[in-house]
Amino acid sequence: MADTTPHHPHVVVVGCGFGGLAATRALAGVDVDVTVVDRENHHTFQPLLYQVATAGLNPSDIAQPIRHIVRKQDNVRVLLGEVVDVDVDAGTVRTPHDTISYDYLVLATGATHSYFGNDEWAEVAPGLKTIDDALEIRRRILLAFERAESTIDPAERERLMTFVIVGAGPTGVELAGAVKEIATVTLRDDFRLIDTTTSRIVLVEAGPRVLAAFPEKLSASAERQLAKLGVEVRTSSSVTDIDVDGVTTETGPIPSATVLWGAGVAASPLGQAVTDRTDRAGRVPVTSELTVDGHPNVFVIGDLAAAESEGSDVPGVAPAAQQGGRHVARCIEADLDGTSRPVFVYKDKGSLATIGRSKAVADLGTRLRFGGYLAWLVWWAVHIMTLIDFRSKFSALAGWGWQYLTGRRIARLITGTAHREPG
Amino acid sequence: MADTTPHHPHVVVVGCGFGGLAATRALAGVDVDVTVVDRENHHTFQPLLYQVATAGLNPSDIAQPIRHIVRKQDNVRVLLGEVVDVDVDAGTVRTPHDTISYDYLVLATGATHSYFGNDEWAEVAPGLKTIDDALEIRRRILLAFERAESTIDPAERERLMTFVIVGAGPTGVELAGAVKEIATVTLRDDFRLIDTTTSRIVLVEAGPRVLAAFPEKLSASAERQLAKLGVEVRTSSSVTDIDVDGVTTETGPIPSATVLWGAGVAASPLGQAVTDRTDRAGRVPVTSELTVDGHPNVFVIGDLAAAESEGSDVPGVAPAAQQGGRHVARCIEADLDGTSRPVFVYKDKGSLATIGRSKAVADLGTRLRFGGYLAWLVWWAVHIMTLIDFRSKFSALAGWGWQYLTGRRIARLITGTAHREPG
């Protein structure tokens, strides 16, 4: 940018998810100029995206403009734009309109869903990574019920009232539970010709159990809780095809008008701009300082990094990204102070996954693993506390309280002009 | 629909705005079967659309699923679909997928904005009639500031920070006031390179005064209040062209990247399906019972009707549509009772228009005309009371309270994938 002359080292943070935002905030008070570049104008609280997709929360409950979050941090400027290339030798990143020089680069562009080479599935089975994804999924779920109400063909009606979620990781499990709740509680009284409580929700998983990243005991608990809700869980069941008619698995077809993708993730393609040694998932192998080998001023954090901590792989979860972001700030501070950089150590604070209203599993260390209502309360408290500022907390709290008491979901609007007309 | 056999007279209500919804609700307890057909799944509280467009409220604060509103009214079913034709001789309406027979038809499809034959302006100067319109306008306003922050060309920056609103009716005046508030209060601290408080907001009106439907005294008050806010008002100024560079008026060009259309309205084209005598604005002339001449079972209400009451034209405002809807129900009831139908009488309860935070004008009869803070309080109270249900009231109240105290607008998200990248 021709109109800025930084006197301090210039840190460019690409991507403002949990990792990029943590790095930016941790650089407050450090003598650097920070430029945050993101292709969205907002930071999204991804763990609650499924609530937007299932009409429980409004987009603005879980997303805040990045500018607004950092408005009081004087050493930060924010640019809306997509970084399309990095030149680590020249020390520049490129957007379609600008070339920006950096002294330090923090690459935190995360991951997106992967269709394992079947990119044509993307159109019929949307994944859930952004607010726009969530609004698209909400539109599809609500439209399916509308179309079911207006069709007179019983087979077509059954297809419209069958929802298949592919992949039983945390997102898939959350979506399955929430869609089931919409069908059995929220919409129960709204339709005349269909009985929404008879909807089928099928959760298909290629692996042998749901929530594979959790201990086996909790996977079994989650599976029991899903069954109790009325979600059909099909583990060890690979998807071989997805098209407008539905999903085909090894054991046969499941006719369905609404397929949601909660399966594989692939790292952002920007990783390939900083190394030619990305791993199978597209992640960038990093040093114990979270830098690219040979480029101590290029940090990679969050889901885009293949990092190790004390001999173990660091998982692709929000707390790891946040800890990575804060580690970067400490390294840059050490450089400015002329001291040696710390080594990154990941602190596992446990995992939580919610399943439906009042249902969840919690893994808070080997002696603290449990499912059910208590786990759900913990999940809820943690997420309310972590939401980005007071207004979001207040609004989400009010929305959830209302939803919990009444079973109603506040944001049941079909928006977006494409495919508005039932067909 | 092959699968329903109505035993009662079948009333088909097309369009579920203020008129259609009032007719539907007033038919509760009447021995008829009602089918409501709308191309959206939600009823929109249009007077507050400008708050969604200017990031002050969430879509779900001012819109509710139609099914949900009528869920307790057993004689109503709701169909999502667009009526594309009416056959008044056969007594049927047609959607792309269905033909629906009626005994009574209530046509309430309202009006949309009109570009006076310059349909190519629609792309660069969106109007405000639906939730999708509001989200598109919100996206454009917020993106303009983002682009201004990242350009280094002073002329382009000025163009990006100039907002032109065409048409100084209630919608145009509300938009102008709200955009000014965004620029001077909401975004004040968010940017580094631009000073949003220097943004130009220009309100262009072809007629000699703003809010032409109000008494002259109140137009003058509104104009003073707008000037005090810092909105440039240009009356008696016709727009001759609009393109990507901005607006051209008779007195010269106004370079602007964001043009919003608050001018003419044209009635829904469906009017032409029930009469070949639509007026210049496309409205259907109706009898004193609000029916189409020669078709006593075809009612036309709201903005689509050219109605008279006690010798005067009925204005195209929400209360007139609601009164029309209730009148229809009384006529149908009279038919079922074998009594004679009432004549439609419009009761004018006054008009309100808001201009910005704490600013408005109120016309509540010849002796009760005033502007300023008191008018704004009246405006606010009326709109809170009229919002469709408790949850919306509560949520809108909370959102507005927050906004009023802090100047922050809660829903400042750029969503929609098209044009995401600043260019």
Side-chain angles (χ1 to χ4, degrees), chain A residues 231-251:
Chain A
V231 173
E232 293 176 39
V233 180
R234 299 199 184 175
T235 47
S236 305
S237 189
S238 284
V239 168
T240 54
D241 196 20
I242 307 179
D243 60 22
V244 290
D245 296 323
V247 171
T248 308
T249 69
E250 287 160 335
T251 53

Side-chain angles (χ1 to χ4, degrees), chain A residues 39 41 58 60 67-68 73 76 80 82 97 132 146 191-192 389 408 412 414 416 420-422, chain B residues 39 41 58 60 67-68 73 76 80 82 97 132 146 191-192 389 408 412 414 416 420-422:
Chain A
R39 58 184 179 182
N41 85 324
N58 270 303
S60 72
R67 295 192 179 288
H68 185 73
Q73 195 175 332
V76 178
L80 179 69
E82 181 162 13
H97 307 285
D132 282 320
E146 292 290 341
F191 291 85
R192 294 291 178 265
D389 81 1
R408 285 171 55 180
R412 300 205 305 281
I414 299 176
R420 177 188 287 160
E421 175 65 21
Chain B
R39 59 183 178 184
N41 84 324
N58 271 303
S60 72
R67 296 192 179 288
H68 184 75
Q73 194 175 332
V76 179
L80 179 70
E82 182 163 11
H97 307 283
D132 282 319
E146 293 290 341
F191 291 86
R192 294 289 178 266
D389 82 1
R408 286 171 55 179
R412 301 203 306 281
I414 299 176
R420 177 188 288 160
E421 175 66 18

Side-chain angles (χ1 to χ4, degrees), chain B residues 224-385:
Chain B
R224 278 195 308 274
Q225 295 183 62
L226 283 164
K228 207 170 160 188
L229 268 179
V231 173
E232 292 176 40
V233 180
R234 299 199 184 175
T235 48
S236 304
S237 189
S238 284
V239 168
T240 55
D241 196 22
I242 307 178
D243 61 21
V244 291
D245 296 322
V247 171
T248 307
T249 70
E250 287 160 335
T251 54
I254 311 171
S256 167
T258 314
V259 183
L260 309 178
W261 188 257
V265 285
S268 149
L270 219 49
Q272 291 154 31
V274 297
T275 182
D276 45 19
R277 299 193 301 113
T278 54
D279 71 5
R280 221 165 45 98
R283 297 179 308 165
V284 178
V286 291
T287 66
S288 63
E289 293 170 357
L290 302 185
T291 56
V292 178
D293 205 17
H295 295 281
N297 65 333
V298 176
F299 295 90
V300 182
I301 58 175
D303 289 359
L304 181 57
E308 287 192 357
S309 167
E310 298 174 328
S312 304
D313 290 343
V314 176
V317 296
Q322 291 172 317
Q323 292 173 29
R326 290 190 288 267
H327 167 84
V328 166
R330 284 193 297 268
C331 286
I332 293 174
E333 247 188 308
D335 286 4
L336 299 184
D337 293 345
T339 58
S340 66
R341 291 180 173 186
V343 160
F344 177 68
V345 180
Y346 168 62
K347 288 182 200 69
D348 185 357
K349 295 188 177 159
S351 313
L352 293 162
T354 179
I355 295 161
R357 203 151 57 131
S358 315
K359 292 186 171 56
V361 291
D363 175 14
L364 309 173
T366 45
R367 268 170 305 183
L368 215 55
R369 291 178 177 154
F370 51 100
Y373 187 66
L374 182 62
W376 183 81
L377 278 184
V378 172
W379 175 89
W380 190 85
V382 165
H383 285 84
I384 274 288
M385 298 313 290

